[in-house]
Amino acid sequence: MTSLFDPIKIGDIALANRVVMAPLTRNRAIAGNVAGPLTAEYYRQRAGAGLIIAEASQISPTAQGYLDTPGIHSPEQIAGWRKVTDAVHEAGGKIVLQLWHVGRISHVSLLPAGTVPLSSTARRAEAMTFTAEGFVPVSTPRALRDDEIPGLIDDYRRAACNAIAAGFDGVEIHAANTYLIEQFLRDSVNDRNGPYGGGIANRARLLLEVAQAVSEAIGAGRTGLRLSPMTTFTAPLDSDPQALYGYVVDRLAPLGLAYLHVIEGETGGTRNPEGKTFDYDALHRSFPGAWMLNNGYSRQLAIDSVAAGQADLIAFGRPFISTPDLVRRLRDDLPLNELRADKLYGGGAEGYTDYPTLAD
Ligand code: PHB
């Protein structure tokens, strides 16, 4: 029987165990949206994870949606991340970067002067974002023109190459949580005509083109991708999630990606939204690479899911924020530190790098 604590190779990346640190927005980038020394210390402390998926990072200046999130598009950002990856590798860990475009979940104050958020649609989301002025409603977006899509795909490709130049072991394409790629996927948001709107094949086109471009640029064995079929967050569900995400996974299968990362239920919320069922195992059956599941896993559920072959890896979010030595605590069945929920977003070391390990 496979153990959560057994090693695994996912694509080209060899991991010491199957406990993954999920990507977590912490809003602590320094000037220039650079990952600073505190961020290097934060990830170094958590290098006992089989894999760290570093927080969502904007692929271009127009891809940002919240204050003080890191980017992966400037030389300063690459240099900042290099200190992070060196720290994690010196501590024996592996780390990939999540590539992010927020689409319409942004505010003009966070974007280059004179620009507005970009999406599949010109309809504004019913959502808030965090800016220098505090929480504000997101701005009305502009629908990307079809002739702008190749440039967008170039931004993903360049960001993936930048991540490798910064020393990451790979990247995770963020196609979840109702950000740009999912704004194309779902018929609840995408109101386009033409090659990127309408039926499932057209709505999935951007995701598949990004996955293809990134895989070709850095190697499919260094590329993962994250989906959240049943998360509402800033947009309603698709009218037929099973068909939509089934199609997506069928088309991703031949690319040879290192892994697929699926959030079950409502991101950060219930694993079983009332009256909404989804057959995650059906997606798993059609994907040949490593299968990573996430959302609200207890120690026992994680152990049981890997033992039963329902998942190859389990990603933990909040438990990894509070407990840097999570793998050891899970292995020895020891209690975790308490999460300081008021310190999740923004600020400094408090609630970031000051959680104790057992060794402390
Ligand atoms: C957030 O900043 O609230 C956030 C970022 C990335 C996600 C989900 C939420 O995937």
Side-chain angles (χ1 to χ4, degrees):
M1 232 164 42
T2 309
S3 161
L4 180 64
F5 307 104
D6 284 346
I8 183 174
K9 190 156 185 224
I10 60 170
D12 298 341
I13 316 169
L15 310 183
N17 62 68
R18 291 133 182 275
V19 179
V20 176
M21 181 178 176
L24 295 155
T25 290
R26 305 302 308 274
N27 306 82
R28 282 167 168 89
I30 61 176
N33 298 315
V34 169
L38 214 48
T39 298
E41 172 62 8
Y42 163 73
Y43 284 116
R44 186 197 62 74
Q45 291 171 346
R46 288 158 180 77
L51 180 68
I52 293 169
I53 305 169
E55 65 210 78
S57 297
Q58 53 269 9
I59 60 168
S60 71
T62 57
Q64 184 175 355
Y66 304 85
L67 189 68
D68 296 336
T69 55
I72 185 65
H73 53 82
S74 78
E76 295 74 23
Q77 291 163 357
I78 296 171
W81 280 122
R82 168 55 80 171
K83 296 192 177 124
V84 174
T85 62
D86 282 349
V88 169
H89 289 148
E90 274 161 31
K94 295 286 163 72
I95 181 167
V96 299
L97 183 65
Q98 197 190 42
L99 302 184
W100 197 21
H101 194 308
V102 296
R104 65 178 180 163
I105 307 305
S106 189
H107 186 263
V108 289
S109 69
L110 297 163
L111 297 172
T115 69
V116 299
L118 302 170
S119 185
S120 61
T121 178
R123 290 178 298 151
R124 203 182 70 82
E126 290 294 329
M128 308 286 280
T129 185
F130 190 73
T131 69
E133 312 300 320
F135 279 99
V136 297
V138 296
S139 303
T140 299
R142 172 172 81 71
L144 280 155
R145 297 187 313 271
D146 290 341
D147 67 8
E148 293 177 293
I149 303 283
L152 173 65
I153 292 167
D154 276 342
D155 288 343
Y156 276 97
R157 185 187 289 116
R158 205 173 308 112
C161 293
N162 288 346
I164 298 302
F168 284 99
D169 297 290
V171 303
E172 175 175 286
I173 297 165
H174 192 345
N177 296 341
T178 62
Y179 293 113
L180 180 67
I181 292 178
E182 205 154 54
Q183 292 160 29
F184 275 80
L185 283 178
R186 292 190 183 179
D187 59 8
S188 61
V189 180
N190 184 332
D191 55 1
R192 306 170 74 82
N193 299 309
Y196 295 91
I200 286 177
N202 283 1
R203 284 183 276 118
R205 192 177 308 281
L206 175 65
L207 180 153
L208 297 172
E209 288 179 350
V210 168
Q212 182 84 40
V214 168
S215 304
E216 277 171 13
I218 67 165
R222 299 202 171 278
T223 304
L225 187 139
R226 195 181 204 204
L227 297 171
S228 59
M230 298 305 281
T231 288
T232 51
F233 196 29
T234 73
L237 297 182
D238 187 76
S239 63
D240 190 350
Q242 199 74 52
L244 173 61
Y245 295 91
Y247 175 88
V248 165
V249 175
D250 282 347
R251 296 301 157 122
L252 288 174
L255 294 187
L257 300 183
Y259 70 89
L260 208 57
H261 182 183
V262 178
I263 301 167
E264 297 162 279
E266 191 71 66
T267 305
T270 176
R271 295 175 47 77
N272 300 297
E274 216 185 307
K276 298 176 190 164
T277 54
F278 188 90
D279 185 357
Y280 297 96
D281 290 335
L283 304 189
H284 186 189
R285 282 193 294 275
S286 56
F287 188 73
W291 194 251
M292 185 189 299
L293 294 177
N294 166 245
N295 202 18
Y297 272 79
S298 65
R299 172 180 185 273
Q300 198 58 52
L301 186 59
I303 288 172
D304 292 347
S305 297
V306 169
Q310 278 177 313
D312 299 306
L313 307 122
I314 302 292
F316 293 85
R318 284 164 294 193
F320 248 121
I321 291 178
S322 70
T323 308
D325 53 345
L326 181 66
V327 176
R328 175 164 175 212
R329 306 257 195 132
L330 294 178
R331 186 183 284 126
D332 298 343
D333 200 9
L334 298 167
L336 311 187
N337 300 327
E338 204 168 314
L339 183 75
R340 274 169 287 165
D342 60 328
K343 302 283 186 258
L344 289 178
Y345 305 110
E350 225 187 323
Y352 191 47
T353 52
D354 63 352
Y355 286 105
T357 62
L358 286 177
D360 299 326

